[in-house]
Amino acid sequence: MIKVLVSFVFILFCLNLTAQYEVAGKISDETGNPLPGANIYIPELQIGISADKKGNYVISNVRPGKYKLQFSYIGYETRIFDLEIANKNVIVDIELHECSFQSQEVVISGGRPSSQHENAIKIETINISNIQISGTPSLMESVSQLPGVSMISKGYAVTTPVIRGLSTSNILVLNNGIRMENYQFSANHPYLIDEFGLEKVEVIKGPASLLYGSDAIGGVLNFIKEKPANTSTVGGDVNLQYFSNTNGLSGNLGIKGTGEKFYWGLRGGLKSHADYLDGSGNFVPNTRFNQSSIKSFAGINTSMGIFRLYYDYIKMKPGMSVEPVIGEINKRGRKNEIWFQDLDMHMVSSKNTVFINAFKLVTNLAYQYNRRRLQGDENNPPFTQVDAKLNTLNYEIKSSYTASERSNFILSIQGMNQINKNQEAPSHVLPDFSLNDISISGLVQHDFNSDIHLQVGLRFDNRFIHVPEQEMHSHEEEGDEIFEMLDRYYGNLSGSLGITYELADHLLVRGNIASAYRTPNIAELTQDGQHGARYEQGNRDLNSQRNYEGDMSVHFHSQHFMFDVAGFYNYILQYIYLAPTADTTDDGDLIYRYSQNDAKLYGFEAMAEVLIAHDLRVKGDYSFIRGKQSNGENLPFIPQNSVNFEINWSKSNFWKFRNFYIKAGTKVIFDQDFPAPYEAYTGGYTLFDAGIGFAINIGAQILNFDIIANNIFNRNYFDHLSTLKPLGFYNPGRNISINVKIPFGFSI
């Protein structure tokens, strides 16, 4: 057996002793002037470089194959070139056109690196620069700049995203392509991820079970890590932020380097925020939070392939603004003392690509360790109410075969093994359990010509859940009640068909029909006890949710105008929801129980952006959504319809400043007069924001400054998705954030 394995490895090695070549050229503007400092990047290989003073560039050590070559420069439209390297060096000269907004870039969440326009699945992006100038301490709130994306919140720290009205276990959050497992079954449980070391966030709106399996029934958020440093350089940055509303401080330092083949990076950061203030200047008790993180990566590019290793650690302590703290916390502060979550996450992941002629073999492996502790107070002994450890192993083996210039086939096997173990704390919100997933999928991507792109695929998933017999615990006391053993199997088939058709230059239509699924999570099957402010009971007889969605979008862009509209209809069979019943506990608490009913969601998003003058642009968007059950009742946590409007004046050189901008905007949020049975009507509101930013040279050092003001007029308002609304606490009032970024770097 060992001889066979050694022989196989030797054959692979020989097959991959492939010569490597150079990609070179010049990047210039429409008049032929060079664009020094322009970025050239090959996403599949994670190789990048900057153009020199004459606009010239050379990328070395590129093996034969087909790649996307991305060219970008501030103030110019990003261009994507289909690069094919056979047995010689390649020259690619590119001309970029001035543009104040970007119409597309390379995305990776659709199964392969591709441009947004040729991808049959619509994928939207928000870059780290837009996240940093959102003016909010909440990463999830910054992502909700995209139409159709919202968030359920309990202050700035405890947030969970919403995509087209679906949230928690109905959407999937990925950390660099790895599904996050942070006890995300409840809106009270935040995802352990921050903006430090991110490049962008890619968002799929709509079913994505074909690509990612269960929990992607409503969409996907993929948080993409920062690129390695440009070849033969060492670089980094220092980022400092101050938030007036929470008297909050945030800072992170990162450094990374890339040699001829090897690259590495390290980043650490801290956050500390006091209780936030509403529009009247009243603090909302225990919305404080503190957080620290360390992230690192290393990789090597060889003739055989690409091998990458990542490590993330996050420690987070968000306060819980719940009924027990209202009378206990009488003074604003930032130190976590009572009723807070003490959360730890370690994630180690390996992402590797091996090239074998026309085949590309991708192997991804990740291990996640999560520890969740809920700390109470001295009046509710013991102090640690919940203490659970969740261990998750994710794996993926994916083979990609390029059959021709127009066709690509992907076959993949994905799986997950998960074990939850409760510690000595009395409350077991979830029982001890084990879970195993395994799936196989096939995806065909075909370009009929440069104008028509087709994607079709099928996937079959298997999920095995085992909950052993064990003693049940509750928040009130340690009972002798025994939890009976539970063994469940779920098998599900997913499929999708999508097409993108470029009707004319810069005008394309995209349509998709898909079927996706979600298996009930452990809480929905087994929960039986006090959770937060209410008593919740699971249902062992729950079936998988099944949804069928059709969506269509139209996109147009030119040098001065961009327009995008997308509509969808999502029909969900056996939608799982939690609702109050007529039953009560012995203490008189109302019992909430998980049930199922068919439901539908439908709506649309529209966005337009206009370049009025050379430096002045205006953009706006509108989001509409409705969600109802088949019995006529409204679905819970459906966001309010909204209109956003922004005007932005920018100039690459203004007096002594570079990349200067000034912006102002307004958000008009309409009444939510279709609440779920246990929700209340929420009135509309209007908020105003503004900001200014620039870069300045101090000697040879560049400093970037931003000053962002949100809710300028200190409006008191309730958002329909705020879980603090039932307690009578308003959303945050005015916040002024000050950002300072100091980049540095040198050649090696």
Side-chain angles (χ1 to χ4, degrees), residues 338-384:
I338 64 172
W339 288 106
F340 64 93
Q341 298 182 58
D342 189 355
L343 309 172
D344 290 271
M345 186 206 74
H346 297 266
M347 177 185 284
V348 180
S349 60
S350 174
K351 300 174 76 68
N352 309 295
T353 304
V354 176
F355 300 98
I356 309 172
N357 298 325
F359 285 93
K360 182 169 66 176
L361 182 66
V362 176
T363 59
N364 298 325
L365 185 68
Y367 168 72
Q368 297 176 68
Y369 166 86
N370 280 272
R371 186 171 188 179
R372 179 178 181 268
R373 284 165 287 188
L374 175 62
Q375 312 291 17
D377 61 36
E378 296 177 354
N379 298 322
N380 294 272
F383 185 69
T384 301

Side-chain angles (χ1 to χ4, degrees), residues 624-626 638-642 668-675 680-685 715 718 720:
F624 169 86
I625 186 170
R626 283 283 282 120
I638 299 299
Q640 295 158 274
N641 299 327
S642 63
V668 180
I669 312 298
F670 299 101
D671 295 350
Q672 178 51 284
D673 43 15
F674 297 101
Y681 159 87
T682 304
Y685 54 91
R715 173 75 183 272
F718 290 116
H720 188 68

